[in-house]
Amino acid sequence: MPALAGQMMAMPLLISSLIRHAARHSGDTEIVSKRVEGDVHRTNWGEVEARSRRVAQALARLGCQPGDRVATLAWNGYRHLELYYGASGSGLVLHTINPRLFPEQIAWIANDAADSVLCFDLTFLPLVEKLAAELKTVKHLVLMTDRAHMPASSALPQLLCYEELVGAENGEYAWPPLDENSASSICYTSGTTGHPKGAVYSHRSTVLHAFGSALPDAMDCCARDVILPVVPMFHVNAWGLPYSGALVGAKLVFPGPHLDGKSLFELFEAEKVTFSAGVPTVWLGLLTYMKTNGLKFSTFKRTVIGGSACPPAMMKTLQDDFGVEVIHAWGMTELSPLGTLSKLTSKQEALPKEAQQRLLEKQGRVIFGIDMAIIDDDGRSLPWDGQSAGNLVVRGGWVIDSYFGHAGESPLVTVDGDPGWFPTGDVATIDADGFMQITDRSKDVIKSGGEWISSIDLENIAMAHPAVHEAAAIACKHPKWDERPLLVVVAKPGATVSRDELLGFFEGKIAKWQIPDGVAFVAEIPHTATGKVQKLKLRDQFKGYQLPGT
Ligand code: ADP
């Protein structure tokens, strides 16, 4: 018992409270979706809440019990949003599956989570037809469309129609009071090594993340915003935007599967988008399209870029050529996902522009609710001097403490004897003002003669060269130095650059011994299901690569 108990109401932090708030206070604020079917659909927070209640009823009618997992294979769209609220809000656990994973991985994940219902967009019908026999626990398959778009015949005789299920309910449903610590949703990590693992979010962690991520020094979301999440709802809840959007009552615009430069640009303009978020690769496509066609944004003002390091050259282009503020962010599935974002503090406003730019290029400062530290291999914390690089560890109200199905195996580590820190697998520096900078994933670090070379630094420099479309730096075996950097490059269409010219471009920008030894030009760099460079695959591809002089 506390010495003196607080005497405030114990209101649980529930996902249903977000949608109720949005419906009541921003009921007519629009939710616009470019549908798989090709047209543009318009609804609002009020209708989304009403239909989410029907979704909750429909899932209960299918036999779902509290805690059961409802899986989705779906793009960003209003039906997916209804499932976010209808499933989680009613005490079920939404399991968003990344459709870009290999089919075997999808089946493995669905079985591991023991999903009982799978809802999916039309795009994924062929995939689900192929997988259905492998899905051991799924009792109901729901196609997220209306009767008119249901396939005439399908290998799946029991296929249910989403609109029919929702249409059969009356919406007379009250959101149940739940334990705020109960599970609300699951997202699996991409599993670059071994099987993917599930991060199980709770109502409490999700609402706290929504609060934290909407803050001015984080995503700075408000009721006047028109938010277009390019980041998918199938991976880490589109960085929480479906929740923070409801919390502030913003208009949401969903691109569905239409993620090419032209479609995105047209949607940004037509819906007067002010804010967006996505991984760097998405912006590559959009900016190339806009540059080729001499286009400018008229309302788009700021974007969060994260998921992998945002190349400074891309940041500069967005800022200087397109008038879009770039907020560099770092996070991961295990953090729901946001951890840090880079925004200047008041004392830094007086700094010269270049010094400010260098800070903004870092991954930034933590949101209140997250603690971070950098540690050496013995768990001792390292100084925040902007130089010492160590293993980045975090803790906080929206950080996992164990993985789904592995509750007994704690991944947590101790910092200076203090237990309970999650090891991120990233290597970082932190400066005296708390600006964190990722130098690498620990498994991607290039170790040359015992010294670390940051692959991100090398990539950022290469990406600033006008002829480079994309670049990745990987470690190559070296007889003397153990490892040396190899730069793998995709040139811009029509552009040419020689190895010597490109390596010359590094001079003066980085210590001489850190300059890559070799350059390999390729047509394409492989990406993971979440749009990151697949370093493991690249390292495999260049396993026996003969660096010059070896
Ligand atoms: P997955 O687990 O699928 O790889 P996550 O989305 O969880 O995907 O990825 C988290 C990792 O992505 C981080 O641990 C970090 O290595 C990398 N990452 C995320 N944001 C950034 C960033 N801004 N700069 C550098 N790396 C980043």
Side-chain angles (χ1 to χ4, degrees), residues 189-190 235 306-309 328-333 363 426 441 530 532:
T189 61
S190 308
H235 191 62
S308 42
H328 194 194
W330 168 87
M332 60 195 308
T333 306
Q363 279 73 5
D426 288 323
R441 275 195 149 182
T530 48
K532 298 170 200 217

Side-chain angles (χ1 to χ4, degrees), residues 337-417:
L338 280 182
T340 67
L341 298 100
S342 202
K343 292 261 188 94
L344 299 181
T345 65
S346 58
K347 79 172 184 199
Q348 292 154 351
E349 276 177 336
L351 289 175
K353 192 121 185 44
E354 290 86 73
Q356 290 182 338
Q357 198 57 33
R358 275 198 300 280
L359 285 170
L360 294 172
E361 286 164 9
K362 296 188 176 197
Q363 279 73 5
R365 305 199 312 152
V366 288
I367 308 173
F368 170 77
I370 298 286
D371 263 356
M372 69 179 170
I374 39 174
I375 57 172
D376 64 16
D377 290 341
D378 299 321
R380 278 186 303 251
S381 61
L382 297 170
W384 290 24
D385 57 11
Q387 299 296 326
S388 314
N391 303 308
L392 179 67
V393 296
V394 292
R395 64 180 178 190
W398 56 85
V399 181
I400 65 152
D401 68 8
S402 56
Y403 289 98
F404 180 72
H406 298 267
E409 306 156 35
S410 174
L412 306 185
V413 298
T414 295
V415 175
D416 298 332

Side-chain angles (χ1 to χ4, degrees), residues 53 89 120 137 145 148 217 260 307 310-311 419 440 444 451 461 464 477:
R53 275 188 269 122
F120 57 99
T137 56
T145 190
D217 277 335
D260 59 287
C310 177
D440 252 312
D444 295 337
E451 299 272 4
I461 294 172
K477 281 275 156 232

Side-chain angles (χ1 to χ4, degrees), residues 64-270:
C64 291
Q65 300 287 327
D68 280 359
R69 268 73 76 196
V70 174
T72 58
L73 272 171
W75 301 107
N76 292 6
Y78 68 102
R79 291 187 182 117
H80 207 173
L81 188 65
E82 292 163 4
L83 280 158
Y84 263 54
Y85 286 104
S88 302
S90 65
L92 305 175
V93 181
L94 183 81
H95 174 201
T96 51
I97 305 183
N98 186 340
R100 297 199 182 114
L101 295 172
F102 291 120
E104 311 81 66
Q105 269 183 322
I106 294 178
W108 188 91
I109 286 174
N111 290 332
D112 188 60
D115 297 329
S116 51
V117 177
L118 171 61
C119 304
F120 57 99
D121 272 335
L122 272 168
T123 320
F124 307 115
L125 179 61
L127 173 68
V128 177
E129 284 176 338
K130 223 179 329 159
L131 282 181
E134 311 290 317
L135 305 176
K136 303 201 174 71
T137 56
V138 172
K139 296 188 207 74
H140 302 287
L141 294 170
V142 180
L143 190 51
M144 291 161 65
T145 190
D146 54 16
R147 177 49 59 188
H149 291 90
M150 289 293 284
S153 72
S154 160
L156 306 168
Q158 308 301 341
L159 200 55
L160 298 169
C161 169
Y162 180 88
E163 289 299 333
E164 278 179 3
L165 294 180
V166 174
E169 304 298 338
N170 60 12
E172 286 170 22
Y173 176 87
W175 296 111
L178 303 168
D179 179 339
E180 65 175 10
N181 288 308
S182 57
S184 60
S185 51
I186 302 189
C187 181
Y188 278 71
T189 61
S190 308
T192 34
T193 50
H195 277 309
K197 286 191 237 153
V200 187
Y201 310 121
S202 68
H203 285 262
R204 179 184 160 79
S205 72
T206 305
V207 174
L208 286 177
H209 181 268
F211 267 124
S213 63
L215 285 171
D217 277 335
M219 291 202 182
D220 192 15
C221 298
C222 75
R224 292 163 299 289
D225 269 321
V226 179
I227 305 177
L228 188 150
V230 181
V231 323
M233 289 167 78
F234 58 67
H235 191 62
V236 217
N237 304 327
W239 297 354
L241 287 169
Y243 305 118
S244 43
L247 183 137
V248 301
K251 169 176 167 180
L252 295 184
V253 181
F254 292 125
H258 312 281
L259 297 170
D260 59 287
K262 181 173 189 294
S263 306
L264 279 178
F265 177 74
E266 287 171 1
L267 199 58
F268 270 81
E269 288 301 295

Side-chain angles (χ1 to χ4, degrees), residues 510-521:
I510 201 165
K512 239 185 160 57
W513 63 271
Q514 297 178 323
I515 297 178
D517 284 18
V519 180
F521 290 95

